[in-house]
Amino acid sequence: MAVMAMAAALRGPGGRFRWRTQATAGGVRGSARGAAAGRQDYNLLVIGGGSGGLACAKEAAQLGMKVAVVDYVEPSPRGTRWGLGGTCVNVGCIPKKLIHQAALLGGMIRDAPHYGWDVAQPVLHDWRKMAEAVQNYVKSLNWGHRVQLQDRKVKYFNIKASFVNEHTICGVTKGGKETLLSAEHIVIATGGRPRYPTHIEGALEYGITSDDIFWLKESPGKTLVVGASYVALECAGFLTGLGLDTTVMMRSIPLRGFDQQMSSLVTAYMASQGTRFLKHCTPSRVQKLPDGQLQVTWEDLTSGKENMGTFSTVLWAIGRIPETRSLNLENAGINTNPNSQKILVDAQEATSVPHIYAIGDVAEGRPELTPTAIMAGKLLARRLYGQSLDVMDYSNVPTTVFTPLEYGCVGLSEEEAMARHGEEHVEVYHAYYKPLEFTVAERDASQCYIKMVCLRKPPQLVLGLHFLGPNAGEVTQGFALGIKVPGPQACLEPLLMESVGGGAGPPTSR
Ligand SMILES: Cc1cc2nc3c(=O)[nH]c(=O)nc-3n(C[C@H](O)[C@H](O)[C@H](O)COP(=O)(O)OP(=O)(O)OC[C@H]3O[C@@H](n4cnc5c(N)ncnc54)[C@H](O)[C@@H]3O)c2cc1C
């Protein structure tokens, strides 16, 4: 109530709300008290300058709000650090897709002689050159984001934030200087970071993660990728494609949560391209040998036997943890899921504290994808400041796994469809096909495959679409509309056939 009264008193002449908190002095002690001079007032304070946070901040500023973004990158355990823009820009989608492209180009160079190109042999790849080009591009994006914030008059603070109370955060710079910032609304968009195993000797000391791989100046060499996530398979895929000896070690199934038939085709293609898979294996120790190589000991869970191998690099891709640990969420009364540590949110993205919101990877139950974080951020700003009522629709979001043969999907997997509707009510249409560009190049197309998961009852509503083949991202994006705006199988089929070219017969049901 006191908060409401003070808020009313501070409503600006144009009716625009300007929050000024008094709670900071009581909530912060010691050096933080000295930071009171740097106290700021904002309509919106966004914690985290990644995909969701930046989108929300820019949209709110465009709607005339006084906005601040705080962003701080804690260096990885290997010491890798990067600039503004969050995971996608620096250590996710962008460098990943560019290095995937570098790997695909290798395949095209191998195809080229079939198409008449005289390619001098041997064709070598220079990691250093590629890394420099990719890193320069990422740095240009970092700069671009800073300029965009400036242009929109969004105040940017390079500080690590934690809550003092429900309207105030304390931010600490790299040098330890503290700043208190307060706002009417606060959006938490702090994303997540890769998880290291805690029980494996040498894991943290000698291993790297996706936070490091894109910033390596030198080739990682012979690499062991541990994990079965899409990040694990994508990294292993591009490393193999660049000609590196690459092994994936997984304890259980690949791409948990994705359609399992498609997942096994993804790994089958990777294996055909040279990626080695150690399935049902789990590492127990990483030791550094005198020559700098890493000796990994692992257990084969099927045979119970212990094995050893030597690698230049060990990359952990065993999942991600949300960045909530250092936010002191309890100071603001924000509830998290005790298992996932993610912030609990409602359909409006509101946390347990009504004026504090959470979007993107840090929020419970949200897809860990950039476009959804961006859209959620924009829509939230429009609801808060633009008189919009539109909420984010998280259903049927298309996604693509950028493995050497790309896998795009939208809607339900076959397993999910059967679990939801019953096996007897689900019809699956499928087809193997040969992309035209594979023919002249004599590429093996055994894993190029499409599958439509439909309801059996006419008009056979399409529940899920799965595509494994070149340019899956682009293909799936288009078909997502056909799933979003529900339609029968008969509508999508001709389009699908057009999209994969002449190599496929009509999909048959099974
Ligand atoms: C290897 C990899 C590949 C990926 N590929 C794709 C892809 O192809 N397509 C796709 O859609 N998604 C992809 N993703 C996922 C995508 O990157 C994330 O879903 C997206 O970045 C989430 O955005 P966000 O705004 O929630 O958080 P982030 O982008 O992670 O931004 C959070 C920001 O907050 C900062 N921060 C954290 N704590 C604090 C604090 N206390 N104070 C201040 N700042 C803080 C962080 O340093 C970071 O800058 C990929 C992820 C990885 C790891």
Side-chain angles (χ1 to χ4, degrees):
M1 285 304 284
V3 163
M4 292 305 292
M6 186 165 65
L10 288 166
R11 214 174 291 272
R16 190 158 282 163
F17 192 102
R18 293 199 65 239
W19 176 262
R20 184 177 299 277
T21 182
Q22 291 182 331
T24 52
V28 180
R29 300 197 192 289
S31 60
R33 196 175 288 146
R39 193 180 300 170
Q40 310 277 340
D41 301 326
Y42 293 94
N43 298 112
L44 175 67
L45 174 65
V46 178
I47 310 175
S51 310
L54 288 176
C56 186
K58 288 176 202 168
E59 193 73 10
Q62 256 170 345
L63 290 166
M65 294 298 115
K66 189 176 177 192
V67 183
V69 170
V70 304
D71 187 68
Y72 186 86
V73 178
E74 197 63 59
S76 77
R78 312 296 294 166
T80 312
R81 56 175 78 233
W82 52 88
L84 181 64
T87 304
C88 179
V89 166
N90 295 283
V91 286
C93 340
I94 300 287
K96 179 275 301 286
K97 185 90 195 289
L98 291 173
I99 298 184
H100 170 64
Q101 175 64 12
L104 290 183
L105 282 172
M108 287 183 207
I109 293 168
R110 283 191 295 281
D111 287 352
H114 293 278
Y115 287 94
W117 291 99
D118 187 4
V119 181
Q121 300 294 331
V123 178
L124 302 174
H125 180 260
D126 184 339
W127 176 283
R128 186 174 259 277
K129 226 177 192 167
M130 173 197 71
E132 195 183 322
V134 170
Q135 290 161 16
N136 283 342
Y137 179 64
V138 169
K139 285 175 192 162
S140 78
L141 295 180
N142 299 147
W143 178 247
H145 281 304
R146 289 191 73 151
V147 171
Q148 284 171 19
L149 290 183
Q150 222 166 17
D151 288 350
R152 290 171 172 79
K153 304 203 171 13
V154 175
K155 182 83 178 141
Y156 162 60
F157 295 89
N158 186 202
I159 52 179
K160 183 166 183 171
S162 60
F163 279 90
V164 173
N165 61 42
E166 60 176 27
H167 278 287
T168 315
I169 63 114
C170 176
V172 185
T173 63
K174 195 172 147 201
K177 192 169 163 271
E178 293 182 343
T179 307
L180 293 179
L181 301 171
S182 57
E184 175 197 353
H185 295 117
I186 298 178
V187 171
I188 307 169
T190 48
R193 295 295 288 264
R195 192 159 66 82
Y196 268 90
T198 48
H199 58 285
I200 298 173
E201 184 192 321
L204 185 65
E205 212 173 341
Y206 304 124
I208 65 166
T209 67
S210 59
D211 276 359
D212 307 293
I213 186 87
F214 307 112
W215 292 91
L216 294 180
K217 296 227 181 305
E218 302 295 338
S219 165
K222 182 181 175 187
T223 302
L224 174 68
V225 178
V226 184
S229 61
Y230 81 88
V231 172
L233 298 190
E234 288 180 343
C235 290
F238 68 62
L239 293 174
T240 306
L242 296 176
L244 301 178
D245 183 331
T246 309
T247 303
V248 178
M249 185 182 293
M250 52 176 77
R251 192 174 43 191
S252 58
I253 55 166
L255 298 179
R256 186 179 292 284
F258 286 89
D259 187 285
Q260 280 305 296
Q261 185 197 6
M262 302 305 289
S263 304
S264 55
L265 288 170
V266 166
T267 51
Y269 185 81
M270 287 177 70
S272 77
Q273 299 299 297
T275 307
R276 252 177 304 126
F277 285 91
L278 293 169
K279 291 186 178 166
H280 308 294
C281 291
T282 171
S284 51
R285 194 164 59 242
V286 183
Q287 289 166 303
K288 196 163 200 165
L289 300 173
D291 64 358
Q293 293 291 295
L294 301 176
Q295 188 176 67
V296 180
T297 310
W298 69 86
E299 191 193 343
D300 183 325
L301 298 172
T302 313
S303 66
K305 284 198 182 130
E306 200 172 78
N307 292 304
M308 264 186 197
T310 305
F311 303 89
S312 306
T313 300
V314 175
L315 190 149
W316 304 106
I318 55 168
R320 294 175 65 79
I321 18 182
E323 272 284 53
T324 47
R325 288 158 300 173
S326 56
L327 283 172
N328 289 340
L329 295 174
E330 61 287 355
N331 286 351
I334 299 163
N335 293 339
T336 55
N337 175 334
N339 296 322
S340 67
Q341 304 300 318
K342 290 196 174 194
I343 298 173
L344 297 171
V345 285
D346 65 14
Q348 309 279 330
E349 326 291 357
T351 68
S352 46
V353 183
H355 66 271
I356 302 179
Y357 302 83
I359 53 170
D361 288 9
V362 79
E364 176 76 9
R366 302 307 190 217
E368 293 187 5
L369 293 170
T370 271
T372 48
I374 291 176
M375 203 58 209
K378 282 188 183 170
L379 292 178
L380 173 58
R382 287 176 201 163
R383 284 197 304 279
L384 288 175
Y385 310 115
Q387 292 169 356
S388 163
L389 294 174
D390 293 345
V391 292
M392 179 69 192
D393 177 4
Y394 290 102
S395 64
N396 292 325
V397 174
T399 187
T400 297
V401 181
F402 291 96
T403 36
L405 201 56
E406 297 172 2
Y407 166 36
C409 60
V410 55
L412 301 185
S413 66
E414 194 174 331
E415 291 86 359
E416 281 173 313
M418 287 180 177
R420 274 196 211 178
H421 299 280
E423 194 173 340
E424 68 280 15
H425 298 300
V426 173
E427 185 95 65
V428 176
Y429 289 86
H430 69 146
Y432 284 93
Y433 71 100
K434 190 160 195 162
L436 190 59
E437 60 268 42
F438 277 33
T439 52
V440 170
E442 294 169 19
R443 279 206 200 189
D444 180 18
S446 313
Q447 284 86 20
C448 293
Y449 184 67
I450 44 176
K451 168 160 114 171
M452 252 189 292
V453 180
C454 311
L455 279 178
R456 179 158 291 161
K457 202 171 130 212
Q460 300 210 316
L461 208 65
V462 180
L463 303 171
L465 187 101
H466 302 265
F467 180 96
L468 187 55
N471 307 309
E474 275 67 39
V475 172
T476 317
Q477 199 158 276
F479 283 102
L481 188 65
I483 305 277
K484 203 88 186 160
V485 183
Q489 179 271 345
C491 294
L492 276 191
E493 188 185 306
L495 298 173
L496 197 58
M497 290 307 96
E498 187 62 35
S499 152
V500 299
T508 52
S509 86
R510 64 171 157 84

